[in-house]
Amino acid sequence: MWQTFTRSFPIQLFLLHLQKNLSLLLIWVLLLGIVLQQFGVVLGIPYLFLDPEYLHEVSWLSFFWMGLGLAVFTMAFHMTTYIMDGWRFSFLAVVHRPFIHFCFNNSIIPLLFYLIYTIQFVSLQFENEQSNWEVLRMYLGFSLGSILAYALLFGYLSLTNKGFFMLFSETIDKRLRRVSRSNRLKKGEADPFNLQGPTVTVYLNLKLKWESVRPDISRFETAKLLRVFHQNHWNLFLIQVFLVFVILLLGMFNEEEILQFPAAMSALLLLAILLMAIGALTFWLRTWAAVAVLVLVLGANYFSTFSWLNKPHQAYGMDYLHTPARYNLDRLDVLTHPDTLRKDKQQVEQILNRWLAKFPESAKPKLVLVAASGGGQRAALWTLKVLQELHTSSSGEVTKHSFLYTGASGGVLGEAFFRELYLRSLSDPNLNPSAPAYLTQLAADNLNPILFSLLVNDLLFQNQKLEYKGRVYSKDRGFAFEEQLNKNTKGILDKSLEDYKEPEALGKIPLLPLTTLIVNDGRKLVLSPHSFSFFGSGAVDSLLPQEKKQSIDFMRFFAAQDPGNLRFLTALRMSATFPFITPNVELPSNPVMKTMDTGLSDNFGIQDALRFLYVFKDWIGTHTSGVVLVTIRDSEKSPEISTSATTQILEKISSPLKNIYSNWDMIQTIHNEVLFNYMTESMPFGVEKIEFEYAPGKLSAAQTSEISGSMQRASLNWRLTAKEKRSILATIQTQSNQAALARAREIFKK
């Protein structure tokens, strides 16, 4: 019995994969690590699979698409392994519907994954307080999607495999091979696929019963057996071509929300295409497949330098046809000339005077600066929540006293959204910037369209164009991010950078200099309708010798490339360009300036806020009663020190890079604390810091029970689960955050 079991077809296939197809198994291991929440938890990757969202809700329909995507990926695994290894099991050639039999016996790994995935997503949905009926609907939706995909694929194979070889095999052989393999065999030539594979005695038939392998396989001609496999390979190849065609077709309509499938489904389709590519290359090139892959990679790397293949990711609104801006050290020296710095300083002082005019002359007002940290959508939602609470609790006084917003990534997005709402409320008394509906808008999914665009557009052909204010650009996943953000926020941020110049200049709303990190040299690029050249130098009146310029003023540097026409949504995206998710923007300069998320340089916006205080210390000391610096962190400032456990060898190898990443937040925090202390000690006015931090672990037991135990920290992502949203919004109730609100009310009592 044991020998029969070990020589059964399912077991032999499983062992064969362990021996020869380890790379394919690693994909399953990766997926298994994701659904078991052992990989990518910080980035929220498991929740893309276990809590998928479609049309802005987690429902049976979103799980339907997940079931369909997983089925397509599973079939890609079956097709690829059949093409690579099916010939090793000669008995399949004389079995009715050989490929379907192969799939049934090749399902140990997929079935194991299906079982674990189902348990995991059902458990998570119960944790999310879904009803029994709703969880059942989700499971049925997932099952329906899988069954439908399998039915279509197996149905096609059942219809085409029968008798297909007898009619078309010779034609196919002539097309695929200059010399027929079967003819070579007749001539006595050696065949690379000798049909000598692992010994198999039994296999599962289509009735899921064990059936013995025919003992007389040897009497069949090898050439005829090979023809059966060739016919099946051709069928599978046609399916692969059809699926790729469907992906290309979807790319033509990728802006249709109904076609923006769950992010995890897009990832599964991408993996399926990679698996099918492996199978196709193996089918066409046989033993030369590995060499072909190497040649293709090297060729793609070489041709990627050509513009027709490597289209730049542009900043919408800017003029790329004009002569590129000169980008060298001499130009940077010119842009930070002392006369230029003084001119920009005077311009901002005029704005400060207009801001001051909003308050009675009898008393000097407090000047409020807000610095919000980056952190994807969780930071955006948390920042908006804090600004709303500050606005409500102080009867609008904190917002009225605010002059400057700084920050990075998601924090800046939350600031920009609240600022626009406040601007509109000045002319529309019925608009309440603190309304909960705006939290819902900003928390809506923004990841599905990004990954879908990556799948159907960026990885294949960027063939879609965008006309924006008279100029034509290529659409990419960056555009998908902007458009989804635009839809989520009801279009109120769809402006140009120049549109904010007047309300900022009149002191109606806080200044918001967006910063993005320049990949070329590590400097910041300051995006604002006003020039902030004084951010780039240590001194305003006299330059320090051999000083490295710290930032570049966007308006002056790109004066000839229409910088004011830059789409504000693009500017927000440039500040929040997370690697691989949204592409690095390339700006019209020579050499080309590339930008990414500014969080790597200053994730908290503290440095820019303190730089502003230093430059305008004389004005602030004369016209205000001091400064209130509001910091909005998306992390705990002083977490408990974790205990160190015994590390394994692999952990020791990865720990250096892991430690750098995990401690980067703390390193910046300590650095900012040092800067803040130096600044407050040297300023001729008082500076008070009011700190808010997203720390769900500080919620009391009573508070967590009220929100159903949603203490879980939200992931770094552009998509939040319902539980993560509750966690973010509830954290305003922690003791430290409530004390911060109370202090703000005390300072700004009328």
Side-chain angles (χ1 to χ4, degrees):
M1 183 177 295
W2 173 251
Q3 189 176 32
T4 301
F5 174 77
T6 56
R7 291 186 177 182
S8 65
F9 195 22
I11 298 300
Q12 288 297 316
L13 276 174
F14 179 75
L15 295 176
L16 181 66
H17 295 329
L18 290 176
Q19 293 173 346
K20 300 182 178 297
N21 300 326
L22 194 59
S23 59
L24 299 182
L25 292 187
L26 288 178
I27 298 177
W28 285 105
V29 172
L30 173 64
L31 292 175
L32 189 62
I34 290 173
V35 301
L36 288 174
Q37 302 186 47
Q38 299 298 312
F39 178 83
V41 177
V42 175
L43 300 177
I45 298 176
Y47 306 119
L48 302 181
F49 287 80
L50 304 176
D51 198 44
E53 192 168 312
Y54 177 66
L55 298 179
H56 302 294
E57 65 176 350
V58 179
S59 65
W60 74 269
L61 194 55
S62 63
F63 277 98
F64 169 85
W65 291 118
M66 282 299 302
L68 192 146
L70 186 55
V72 171
F73 171 76
T74 302
M75 287 301 298
F77 171 73
H78 288 320
M79 287 185 277
T80 299
T81 52
Y82 180 78
I83 290 173
M84 295 173 62
D85 301 316
W87 57 270
R88 301 178 188 275
F89 305 93
S90 56
F91 74 92
L92 284 174
V94 296
V95 174
H96 184 53
R97 296 169 180 167
F99 176 68
I100 299 179
H101 276 87
F102 180 88
C103 293
F104 272 54
N105 289 269
N106 194 42
S107 294
I108 291 179
I109 297 171
L111 283 176
L112 180 63
F113 181 82
Y114 265 81
L115 177 63
I116 295 174
Y117 174 75
T118 302
I119 294 173
Q120 287 293 106
F121 89 70
V122 168
S123 300
L124 182 66
Q125 295 308 319
F126 279 129
E127 290 179 13
N128 290 340
E129 299 182 337
Q130 298 284 1
S131 66
N132 293 342
W133 168 239
E134 189 60 32
V135 173
L136 178 61
R137 279 166 52 89
M138 293 175 181
Y139 173 76
L140 293 176
F142 173 74
S143 301
L144 179 62
S146 297
I147 292 171
L148 179 61
Y150 287 129
L152 291 174
L153 290 169
F154 283 137
Y156 167 79
L157 293 169
S158 297
L159 292 174
T160 56
N161 281 1
K162 186 177 181 180
F164 191 85
F165 163 72
M166 297 300 295
L167 295 174
F168 303 108
S169 65
E170 292 297 336
T171 303
I172 295 169
D173 283 349
K174 290 178 181 179
R175 286 182 184 176
L176 301 182
R177 294 165 296 280
R178 293 181 180 180
V179 180
S180 169
R181 286 166 47 87
S182 60
N183 287 339
R184 295 203 307 268
L185 288 171
K186 291 176 181 179
K187 294 175 183 180
E189 298 180 14
D191 188 86
F193 295 163
N194 58 17
L195 299 184
Q196 296 299 315
T199 302
V200 175
T201 58
V202 293
Y203 64 94
L204 278 175
N205 60 25
L206 301 186
K207 297 180 180 179
L208 298 180
K209 295 181 178 180
W210 293 110
E211 187 168 336
S212 299
V213 173
R214 293 183 59 153
D216 58 346
I217 295 295
S218 59
R219 73 182 181 87
F220 293 94
E221 295 181 20
T222 302
K224 293 182 178 180
L225 296 178
L226 285 171
R227 288 181 177 182
V228 176
F229 289 112
H230 295 164
Q231 180 261 323
N232 281 275
H233 293 174
W234 180 249
N235 260 346
L236 300 181
F237 178 72
L238 290 178
I239 293 175
Q240 295 169 352
V241 171
F242 174 75
L243 291 176
V244 173
F245 173 77
V246 170
I247 296 296
L248 292 173
L249 185 64
L250 290 174
M252 300 174 61
F253 307 97
N254 65 339
E255 294 180 35
E256 298 294 330
E257 196 169 32
I258 196 172
L259 295 178
Q260 294 174 359
F261 303 126
M265 179 190 175
S266 298
L268 288 171
L269 291 179
L270 176 59
L271 291 175
I273 290 175
L274 293 176
L275 282 178
M276 290 187 294
I278 295 174
L281 287 173
T282 304
F283 174 57
W284 287 96
L285 302 174
R286 307 299 181 187
T287 56
W288 289 94
V291 176
V293 170
L294 179 61
V295 172
L296 286 173
V297 170
L298 295 176
N301 181 65
Y302 172 75
F303 286 108
S304 64
T305 59
F306 293 78
S307 58
W308 57 271
L309 186 60
N310 184 20
K311 296 182 179 179
H313 302 284
Q314 299 174 322
Y316 304 129
M318 296 193 67
D319 186 359
Y320 283 79
L321 299 180
H322 195 279
T323 304
R326 187 165 50 90
Y327 185 18
N328 53 37
L329 296 180
D330 291 338
R331 179 91 189 287
L332 298 186
D333 288 337
V334 172
L335 295 176
T336 52
H337 189 276
D339 291 341
T340 301
L341 302 182
R342 283 192 291 269
K343 181 179 179 180
D344 291 348
K345 180 183 177 183
Q346 291 170 1
Q347 181 190 48
V348 176
E349 284 182 347
Q350 293 176 2
I351 302 175
L352 280 166
N353 290 329
R354 298 188 188 103
W355 169 85
L356 182 64
K358 297 190 298 183
F359 305 99
E361 297 182 1
S362 58
K364 296 180 179 181
K366 291 284 188 182
L367 180 74
V368 176
L369 309 181
V370 178
S373 71
Q377 198 166 28
R378 76 183 180 206
L381 182 59
W382 174 237
T383 299
L384 178 59
K385 177 64 175 177
V386 172
L387 291 176
Q388 286 187 333
E389 291 290 332
L390 282 170
H391 184 77
T392 301
S393 63
S394 67
S395 301
E397 288 299 304
V398 171
T399 311
K400 183 180 178 181
H401 284 73
S402 297
F403 183 80
L404 179 70
Y405 285 172
T406 63
S409 186
V412 167
L413 200 157
E415 290 176 327
F417 189 44
F418 179 81
R419 189 180 71 149
E420 177 63 31
L421 292 171
Y422 177 69
L423 175 62
R424 292 175 179 250
S425 72
L426 297 178
S427 57
D428 182 6
N430 294 322
L431 193 154
N432 178 14
S434 297
Y438 301 122
L439 294 169
T440 303
Q441 292 179 17
L442 196 61
D445 173 66
N446 207 26
L447 187 63
N448 282 355
I450 297 176
L451 294 188
F452 187 69
S453 178
L454 175 67
L455 171 67
V456 303
N457 185 63
D458 291 26
L459 291 180
L460 298 173
F461 305 101
Q462 294 182 25
N463 55 358
Q464 296 191 26
K465 301 296 181 180
L466 163 70
E467 184 176 345
Y468 181 76
K469 294 192 174 182
R471 298 190 177 105
V472 179
Y473 307 89
S474 295
K475 293 182 180 179
D476 54 23
R477 63 189 186 280
F479 173 76
F481 173 86
E482 293 179 23
E483 283 301 284
Q484 189 60 50
L485 177 60
N486 192 37
K487 291 178 182 177
N488 294 347
T489 55
K490 310 302 180 183
I492 69 172
L493 293 175
D494 196 4
K495 296 181 173 182
S496 66
L497 195 63
E498 189 77 16
D499 290 334
Y500 285 106
K501 185 173 185 177
E502 181 178 348
E504 286 186 2
L506 296 176
K508 292 183 177 181
I509 56 176
L511 301 179
L512 180 57
L514 303 174
T515 58
T516 183
L517 185 66
I518 302 173
V519 177
N520 308 57
D521 52 27
R523 294 180 173 89
K524 289 182 183 178
L525 183 66
V526 184
L527 309 170
S528 171
H530 306 281
S531 288
F532 287 83
S533 59
F534 47 78
F535 274 0
S537 175
V540 176
D541 297 323
S542 62
L543 297 179
L544 299 176
Q546 298 181 341
E547 177 191 4
K548 181 173 181 176
K549 307 303 181 293
Q550 301 153 30
S551 65
I552 298 176
D553 181 70
F554 176 73
M555 294 298 292
R556 292 191 181 278
F557 188 89
F558 292 105
Q561 286 75 33
D562 199 6
N565 201 42
L566 176 70
R567 193 186 192 194
F568 188 67
L569 288 165
T570 301
L572 289 172
R573 188 242 305 183
M574 291 169 63
S575 180
T577 300
F578 194 81
F580 304 112
I581 302 301
T582 48
N584 292 350
V585 172
E586 300 180 12
L587 297 172
S589 64
N590 186 23
V592 175
M593 181 185 293
K594 298 182 179 180
T595 66
M596 63 173 292
D597 196 307
T598 192
L600 184 63
S601 173
D602 179 17
N603 194 47
F604 300 95
I606 299 293
Q607 295 177 24
D608 291 336
L610 296 181
R611 175 62 183 163
F612 177 85
L613 292 183
Y614 175 77
V615 172
F616 297 98
K617 60 181 181 294
D618 294 336
W619 190 97
I620 296 172
T622 302
H623 298 94
T624 74
S625 59
V627 172
V628 177
L629 176 61
V630 178
T631 64
I632 306 175
R633 299 176 55 94
D634 91 318
S635 60
E636 190 174 351
K637 183 178 179 178
S638 300
E640 289 293 334
I641 300 173
S642 59
T643 57
S644 58
T646 303
T647 56
Q648 300 176 349
I649 295 178
L650 293 179
E651 291 177 330
K652 291 180 179 180
I653 296 175
S654 62
S655 59
L657 291 176
K658 182 180 178 182
N659 291 337
I660 292 174
Y661 172 78
S662 60
N663 286 305
W664 190 246
D665 182 277
M666 292 294 102
I667 293 172
Q668 289 198 23
T669 297
I670 294 173
H671 179 64
N672 290 335
E673 288 290 290
V674 173
L675 288 178
F676 180 79
N677 292 335
Y678 286 160
M679 186 68 66
T680 55
E681 292 172 2
S682 60
M683 288 297 99
F685 48 81
V687 182
E688 181 172 356
K689 184 164 52 175
I690 299 178
E691 295 181 310
F692 295 87
E693 57 181 13
Y694 169 54
K698 290 186 175 182
L699 289 167
S700 67
Q703 291 168 333
T704 55
S705 64
E706 292 177 1
I707 56 174
S708 305
S710 55
M711 293 178 55
Q712 173 184 341
R713 176 169 170 80
S715 54
L716 180 60
N717 210 322
W718 286 111
R719 188 256 171 176
L720 298 170
T721 67
K723 191 174 183 178
E724 290 174 330
K725 294 173 187 177
R726 294 198 303 268
S727 168
I728 294 170
L729 299 180
T731 306
I732 196 68
Q733 301 297 329
T734 65
Q735 184 177 357
S736 60
N737 289 333
Q738 285 298 304
L741 283 174
R743 179 55 183 156
R745 285 193 298 269
E746 182 181 355
I747 295 174
F748 295 99
K749 284 192 299 185
K750 290 186 177 181

